[in-house]
Amino acid sequence: MTTRRSTAAVAVPLLAGLTLALTGPVAQAEPVPAPVLEASPGVVLAPFYTELDLTGDRQVTPADLDVLAARLGATPASAGWTQVAAADVDADGVLTVADLAAVSARMVYDDGPFELVEASVIDMQAAMNAGVTTSVELTRAYLDRIAAYDRTLVDLAEGGRPLNSVITTSTVALQAAAAADATRATEGMTDLLLGVPVAVKDNYDTLDMPTTGGCGCWEDNHTSTDAAMVAGLREAGAVILAKASLDEFAFGFVSEFSAGQAPGSTLLAASPYRTSQTAGGSSGGTGAAIAANLAGLGFGTDTGGSIRVPSSYNQLVGIRPTVGLASRDGIIPLALSQDTGGPMARSVMDAAAALDAVVGVDPADPVTAEQAGRVPESYTAHLDPTALEGARIGYVASMVGTNPTTLRLFTQARATLEALGATVVEVTPPAGFGDVLAEPSGSTNEFRHDLDRYIATHLAPQVQARSLTDILATGHYVISRGGTYASRAAVTEETYQAWAGPEGTHTRAIATGHALVTGLMDDLDLDAIAYPTGTPYGTHSTNLRLSPNTGMPSLTVPMGQASAEDGTITGAGVNLELLGRDYAEGDLIGFGYAFEQATHARTSPALYGPLG
């Protein structure tokens, strides 16, 4: 896979007599300084970490502090003021030690106390750069949290259940973390994901863990390669920590799986906010694990809502990318006409950094060729709190619905968007819009065909169940799905081609939907279409189909929780979803970031705080 990677060098100020150096931890339990390193040029970081750059390398490093220290006392009347004017942070017309301290604060470095719960990628990198923690320590801490929380009944309220968010953990994660620490010690922070522990849905192939698709029938599926997206994460230096649970073979929204259980037995993933409720699906395990801080970042897949539903239920940011932005090779498919993989994170910043690691053209997934020349250097460059200024956002009233919580939160979200400078307009959808939302998922007619292709190219040779018929014969699957699997097994190649072939009805419907919605946005000069992802632990009508039935990207971000006055499910989260044009993920990330920074709507699940 040809990938585009963002890198970043460790930038550490040592303000003793204004002596400046780059430092970082080595891979040891006790943090110690690393050798002095040179800053790497060409770094792409979020604007906060670049806007006070004085040397043109798009990051704040000791080189910038050297320039500023040499010009202390300069004023607008001084020669060369334009080179250093950005460093006059307090705008008092003179460069002072206060400005030096403010510029220094823009480095990715923090030697203060570090708390794992709710830690962002930047928090982790800053602490690792400062030697406060290491990737080994982060990884061990997340493994400890999984052991303590995932299969334990923590919620003692009526109906409380274990999270059941993880199917397996990696036996080599600590080794990978030690390698990341060694890289940091010798090269600095080579990527924003260096050493960050990541959980991926258990339909992503991983060399170091079996890939079950949630089915007990495939517990021996030790693949010989990583999924393309997993390979991108490893290349970035991320630690693949665990395989998250999912609704078996990604079929539905309840996240019921048989992997790791005796034949006939299953488990259900639970929301860490209210464990009597589902975590959503099909990426429910990823949603629960990231919300409960059992990993730093997560990845799911989305065919008809499977990233966005658990993101909404678990107060996470989820990105369903344009079909073609990230390779699906090595992911157990459900319906390749609509399948796509994407990040699930506790913040827009984290989701943007995660997305950077997995995009790229991959000959094994030909649709990715469409992205050539349309992907930015880094999605983190779109993290601008003013991104909504001048944006035009449309919404369709029927997509808002009448649920008291959803209606209240969407009304508030609309006001926030407008306060941040966006024009929000109600849209009368054109004829045919209802047909776009009504087009069903491709899973019925595509699953057998696409699964057979995965079996032929990726399934480990020792796995005996090599077809849907074989899977049914094992008896080791979610038994209630037997009828569904049998009906999918009966779908003929002729039916598949009539549905998803080059001239298939579903193929044409997606193309028509894409043209109609893109035309709507063009005609009204819209930058995005906004709607609620769902309701408290539920979905609203056919909202979730807009993105998969057009192939266009969407981002979902928390917009608040249900109140007692709503009369729904108090405390339940509901997300705002934003849909954009093909490959406009950067714009959506900017809009989502601005909204997030203005609202800070996510809450942390109280039952899963720091370990004692």
Side-chain angles (χ1 to χ4, degrees), residues 402-418:
T402 59
N403 179 277
T405 297
T406 300
L407 181 59
R408 174 178 60 82
L409 292 176
F410 187 82
T411 300
Q412 293 174 359
R414 176 181 174 180
T416 299
L417 295 172
E418 292 173 335

Side-chain angles (χ1 to χ4, degrees), residues 240-604:
I240 307 303
L241 177 78
K243 303 296 284 289
S245 63
L246 67 156
D247 200 79
E248 190 172 86
F249 288 119
F251 263 89
F253 290 161
V254 299
S255 288
E256 184 176 9
F257 60 98
S258 62
Q261 307 307 302
S265 297
T266 62
L267 292 177
L268 289 157
S271 169
Y273 294 92
R274 182 177 293 219
T275 66
S276 59
Q277 298 287 337
T278 177
S282 60
S283 309
T286 305
I290 302 308
N293 290 274
L294 304 189
L297 289 169
F299 275 82
T301 59
D302 190 307
T303 305
S306 293
I307 285 173
R308 295 162 293 148
V309 169
S311 292
S312 187
Y313 288 11
N314 297 292
Q315 301 185 37
L316 299 175
V317 175
I319 298 177
R320 177 191 156 88
T322 308
V323 175
L325 183 66
S327 173
R328 285 87 51 88
D329 186 54
I331 300 175
I332 299 171
L334 179 59
L336 286 173
S337 66
Q338 297 168 306
D339 286 353
T340 186
M344 299 168 67
R346 292 181 291 270
S347 69
V348 178
M349 169 73 209
D350 286 1
L355 189 61
D356 272 347
V358 298
V359 302
V361 176
D362 181 8
D365 187 0
V367 71
T368 59
E370 298 175 359
Q371 72 177 260
R374 306 177 75 177
V375 178
E377 186 177 7
S378 173
Y379 288 105
T380 62
H382 291 268
L383 297 166
D384 182 357
T386 67
L388 281 162
E389 291 181 4
R392 280 180 58 83
I393 311 293
Y395 74 96
V396 177
S398 62
M399 296 182 73
V400 178
T402 59
N403 179 277
T405 297
T406 300
L407 181 59
R408 174 178 60 82
L409 292 176
F410 187 82
T411 300
Q412 293 174 359
R414 176 181 174 180
T416 299
L417 295 172
E418 292 173 335
L420 293 170
T423 299
V424 182
V425 296
E426 183 176 347
V427 170
T428 300
F433 187 79
D435 293 336
V436 176
L437 295 180
E439 178 69 10
S441 167
S443 63
T444 297
N445 290 327
E446 296 175 53
F447 182 54
R448 174 185 173 180
H449 174 278
D450 295 344
L451 187 70
D452 284 349
R453 188 165 78 174
Y454 171 89
I455 289 169
T457 56
H458 291 286
L459 190 68
Q462 65 268 23
V463 178
Q464 297 298 306
R466 306 194 71 81
S467 68
L468 277 172
T469 301
D470 291 345
I471 289 169
L472 286 166
T474 69
H476 201 175
Y477 55 88
V478 175
I479 299 302
S480 63
R481 306 286 168 81
T484 299
Y485 294 163
S487 64
R488 300 299 194 266
V491 173
T492 65
E493 181 64 15
E494 291 74 19
T495 298
Y496 168 81
Q497 291 295 337
W499 171 264
E503 298 301 322
T505 57
H506 188 59
T507 303
R508 294 198 303 270
I510 291 176
T512 299
H514 176 270
L516 186 145
V517 176
T518 301
L520 168 66
M521 295 180 69
D522 289 346
D523 291 345
L524 298 179
D525 193 27
L526 299 178
D527 296 294
I529 297 174
Y531 47 93
T533 293
T535 62
Y537 292 114
T539 60
H540 170 64
S541 188
T542 52
N543 285 13
L544 294 166
R545 295 182 184 176
L546 186 59
S547 178
N549 286 351
T550 60
M552 298 162 71
S554 66
L555 176 147
T556 184
V557 60
M559 62 177 177
Q561 297 79 39
S563 66
E565 292 73 21
D566 293 337
T568 55
I569 303 175
T570 302
V574 178
N575 277 19
L576 174 71
E577 191 163 335
L578 297 165
L579 178 121
R581 293 175 176 81
D582 283 359
Y583 301 102
E585 284 84 357
D587 292 339
L588 298 179
I589 284 167
F591 300 155
Y593 181 76
F595 180 82
E596 173 192 67
Q597 295 305 297
T599 58
H600 295 287
R602 171 174 164 77
T603 65
S604 186

